[in-house]
Amino acid sequence: MPTKVSEYMTRKVITTSPETGLREAFFLMRDENIRHLPVVNEDGELVGIVSDRELRRPGWVDESPEIGHEYHLTDEWHISDVMIRDIVHVRTYDTLTKAISTVLDFHVGAAPVLDKTGQLVGMLSAIDLLKAFQDILESQKSAKKKKQLA
């Protein structure tokens, strides 16, 4: 049976609200050692995601070569100003194969994991997928050794 996302996702999810200041979010991500921060509204609904990349230099800063925008990481700007609203996500019941395809197709480093009710229950990062790959390789190596001993 194929391995499911729920077996490898990170269950501890650090979130923020759209009203959080960018500087505050930056230090939250640094202190928690995370690179992707899901954004939830007051009802707990996933409404966006922000990566350390958006905090360093949001896409709108360079939207036109003729217009120069000065950008400083301050709490005058909010997460809602830079968050990605078109969220690439995976489901707990998705296979790792499907999750890998999603991550590769959309060029994301991590994806929020939603359960069947649409609730945010985890994050699946490239590191999580590498752990799964390592387990698969070790399992194959172990099976090969057992076969050789038989």
Side-chain angles (χ1 to χ4, degrees):
M1 187 160 129
T3 305
K4 302 291 182 201
V5 165
S6 60
E7 296 175 48
Y8 284 95
M9 69 184 192
T10 299
R11 294 179 187 280
K12 179 185 176 191
V13 182
I14 309 296
T15 63
T16 194
S17 74
E19 297 81 27
T20 302
L22 295 186
R23 185 172 170 79
E24 180 183 346
F26 171 82
F27 284 107
L28 173 64
M29 292 173 75
R30 187 193 70 181
D31 293 346
E32 294 292 337
N33 196 30
I34 58 175
R35 293 187 304 202
H36 300 87
L37 189 59
V39 183
V40 296
N41 64 17
E42 59 276 352
D43 297 326
E45 177 188 2
L46 182 66
V47 295
I49 189 165
V50 68
S51 74
D52 56 352
R53 185 178 316 134
E54 281 85 41
L55 294 182
R56 287 193 308 265
R57 190 160 180 91
W60 56 259
V61 172
D62 298 317
E63 61 192 15
S64 172
E66 294 86 35
I67 302 172
H69 291 282
E70 193 170 320
Y71 173 72
H72 299 285
L73 188 63
T74 70
D75 284 332
E76 292 175 19
W77 293 95
H78 298 102
I79 287 295
S80 61
D81 296 319
V82 300
M83 72 183 187
I84 304 299
R85 296 173 192 276
D86 188 17
I87 309 159
V88 174
H89 67 276
V90 295
R91 300 281 183 165
T92 53
Y93 49 81
D94 287 342
T95 64
L96 285 182
T97 303
K98 182 176 181 182
I100 290 168
S101 293
T102 300
V103 166
L104 291 174
D105 289 347
F106 290 95
H107 303 279
V108 295
V113 180
L114 307 179
D115 66 11
K116 59 185 167 186
T117 67
Q119 288 295 109
L120 176 65
V121 295
M123 287 292 290
L124 187 70
S125 70
I127 298 297
D128 297 325
L129 293 172
L130 284 172
K131 288 176 186 173
F133 183 55
Q134 180 181 34
D135 286 352
I136 291 166
L137 290 176
E138 287 176 0
S139 174
Q140 289 174 346
K141 185 177 177 182
S142 177
K144 187 176 179 180
K145 278 186 179 181
K146 286 181 183 178
K147 190 175 182 180
Q148 289 173 344
L149 294 174

